[in-house]
Amino acid sequence: NQINNEAKILFPEITSLKIGNYTIENETTKSKVIPVILFQSKKSLDEPTQIKMKMWLKQRLAKDSIEVYRQN
């Protein structure tokens, strides 16, 4: 997957990155789809790296809202 390969280049600590979509159903508004990113890394990412990765993923996926989680 292209984004997985790019992530490994930009963030060498990352060993795997997967993207799924979570749909929020709401009675008053239309359903909203939020990308959920799961990644694995050799070590925990420091806060500046986490922020940089979130900003890059938002830009790369063209989404204003994403969720990012590290899998152990």
Side-chain angles (χ1 to χ4, degrees):
N1 146 336
Q2 182 67 29
I3 292 179
N4 184 38
N5 293 337
E6 291 175 19
K8 288 178 181 178
I9 292 168
L10 294 169
F11 307 97
E13 308 91 349
I14 291 179
T15 56
S16 174
L17 185 137
K18 303 290 181 208
I19 301 172
N21 289 310
Y22 178 72
T23 304
I24 298 172
E25 300 289 340
N26 192 326
E27 293 178 14
T28 58
T29 61
K30 295 179 183 175
S31 61
K32 183 176 182 181
V33 177
I34 298 175
V36 176
I37 295 93
L38 300 175
F39 73 93
Q40 293 176 326
S41 60
K42 298 170 190 168
K43 59 178 183 167
S44 295
L45 303 181
D46 60 20
E47 191 169 343
T49 303
Q50 289 179 36
I51 292 169
K52 181 180 174 184
M53 184 173 67
K54 279 188 177 183
M55 290 173 59
W56 171 71
L57 285 164
K58 280 183 181 182
Q59 186 68 35
R60 182 66 174 78
L61 298 172
K63 296 285 184 180
D64 60 350
S65 181
I66 63 171
E67 293 290 326
V68 180
Y69 299 99
R70 180 176 182 237
Q71 287 183 303
N72 295 329

